[in-house]
């Protein structure tokens, strides 16, 4: 009788665990909030003594289908009077960005999968006017087996001042596993991780980003103008799952290439500059509801 009771209790607990486990649809719809804080050390503009330190704060709320994010950058300048675009005051004190995005996954068959992502965004110093842009990211993924897959597609960022379109190439290895090695190799993102335990991940990566900023009407760089920023940034760090709902990440950053192009109010290119490499740090907190 005792054995039967234990067996029945085990069955009940098993059923309860299955009931409590979220379905695939629930996992897709499950909201999460992420806060990220970055810092990059002082870096000179190539060929000039003027330099800038950068800090960034970002908050994002999303699930696997839709989301919204807000970012703010603050800049601390040194010897800015040496820079060719200096106009007698701080070139750029801060800027902000708002992005609304949506993802559309399209399973095709057991081997093929397609992911489409679109966004509407605005990055600006003070005035929101003429700051709107859009982006699209689309690729096909071919599953070679349970561990290996290849990706091919393209991404594009549209802005009336400057638009880009670049290929997406990738190879993934054990991306959903929580033990051992996991990899995403390609462009615009590369990532290698190793699970020291199911909760602790050592990771390193690189990402390319591009954005057009609407400068202020009284900008210290180009009044009513624009600036295009292109960044190549790498990181190495740790991610720890404190619980099933909460994780924390800490990374060392290295911005090894940053390009800065200025446009006037008529969308004509004025000049372009490069910023020397700099190091920094990032901390990120994520909570899943």
């Amino acid at each position: 009788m005792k054995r039967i009771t234990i067996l029945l209790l085990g069955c009940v607990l098993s059923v309860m665990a299955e009931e409590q486990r979220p379905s695939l649809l629930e996992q897709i719809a499950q909201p999460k909030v992420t806060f990220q804080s970055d810092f990059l050390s002082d870096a000179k503009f190539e060929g000039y003594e003027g330099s800038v330190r950068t800090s960034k704060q970002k908050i994002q709320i999303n699930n696997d289908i839709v989301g919204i994010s807000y970012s703010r950058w603050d800049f601390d300048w040194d010897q800015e009077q040496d820079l060719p675009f200096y106009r007698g005051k701080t070139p750029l004190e801060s800027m902000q960005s708002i992005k609304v995005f949506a993802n559309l996954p399209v399973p095709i068959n057991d081997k093929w999968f397609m992911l489409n992502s679109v966004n509407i965004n605005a990055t600006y110093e003070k005035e929101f006017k003429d700051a709107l842009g859009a982006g699209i990211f689309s690729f096909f993924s071919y599953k070679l087996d349970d561990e290996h897959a290849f990706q091919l597609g393209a991404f594009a960022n549209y802005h009336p001042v400057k638009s880009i379109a670049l290929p997406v190439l990738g190879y993934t290895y054990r991306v959903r596993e929580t033990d051992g090695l996991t990899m995403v190799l390609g462009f615009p993102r590369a990532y290698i991780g190793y699970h020291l335990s199911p909760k602790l991940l050592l990771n390193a990566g690189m990402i390319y980003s591009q954005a057009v900023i609407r400068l202020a009407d009284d900008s210290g760089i180009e009044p009513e103008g624009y600036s295009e920023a292109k960044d190549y940034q790498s990181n190495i760090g740790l991610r720890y799952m404190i619980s099933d709902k909460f994780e924390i990440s800490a990374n060392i950053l290295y911005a090894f290439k940053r390009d800065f192009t200025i446009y006037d109010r008529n969308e004509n290119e004025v000049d372009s500059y490069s910023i020397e490499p700099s190091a920094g740090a990032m901390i990120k907190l994520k909570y899943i509801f």
Side-chain angles (χ1 to χ4, degrees), residues 8-9 28 31 40 42 44 48 62 73 82 84 92-93 116 118 128 136 139 148 160-161 203-204 224 240-241 280 287:
L8 288 173
L9 180 60
I28 290 172
L40 286 175
D42 191 64
K44 292 181 178 179
Y48 303 94
N62 70 289
W73 293 259
D82 178 65
L92 180 63
E93 292 184 351
N116 304 288
V118 295
F128 189 84
I136 185 168
F139 67 84
H148 306 269
V161 174
N203 64 87
E224 300 182 59
Y240 181 66
M241 297 288 297
Y287 183 80

Side-chain angles (χ1 to χ4, degrees), residues 205-271:
M206 186 280 293
I207 190 166
Y208 166 81
S209 63
Q210 181 264 359
V212 175
I213 303 106
R214 200 307 197 167
L215 299 174
D217 290 349
D218 60 349
S219 167
I221 297 176
E222 183 68 30
E224 300 182 59
Y226 303 86
S227 172
E228 180 194 23
K230 293 188 289 187
D231 298 344
Y232 293 84
Q233 190 174 108
S234 59
N235 72 282
I236 182 168
L238 292 168
R239 187 188 74 195
Y240 181 66
M241 297 288 297
I242 297 173
S243 69
D244 291 340
K245 292 184 174 293
F246 186 54
E247 70 178 44
I248 183 171
S249 302
N251 285 264
I252 296 171
L253 305 177
Y254 186 68
F256 57 91
K257 182 173 174 57
R258 286 187 284 172
D259 295 322
F260 177 73
T261 305
I262 300 170
Y263 297 84
D264 64 20
R265 71 188 70 185
N266 299 314
E267 304 173 8
N268 300 311
E269 183 175 332
V270 175
D271 215 334

Side-chain angles (χ1 to χ4, degrees), residues 77-92:
W77 300 80
D78 187 40
Q79 298 190 50
E80 61 265 36
Q81 66 277 4
D82 178 65
L83 297 169
F85 50 80
Y86 180 68
R87 291 174 173 265
K89 62 179 182 178
T90 302
L92 180 63

Side-chain angles (χ1 to χ4, degrees), residues 55-106:
S55 61
K56 175 188 175 184
Q57 318 300 322
K58 177 181 178 180
I59 187 165
Q60 177 171 299
I61 301 172
N62 70 289
N63 57 25
D64 288 347
I65 301 299
V66 296
I68 184 170
S69 68
Y70 171 80
S71 303
R72 177 186 169 93
W73 293 259
D74 290 283
F75 304 95
D76 184 12
W77 300 80
D78 187 40
Q79 298 190 50
E80 61 265 36
Q81 66 277 4
D82 178 65
L83 297 169
F85 50 80
Y86 180 68
R87 291 174 173 265
K89 62 179 182 178
T90 302
L92 180 63
E93 292 184 351
S94 65
M95 68 182 193
Q96 51 197 321
S97 177
I98 299 172
K99 180 185 287 187
V100 178
F101 57 91
N103 301 315
L104 178 63
V106 183

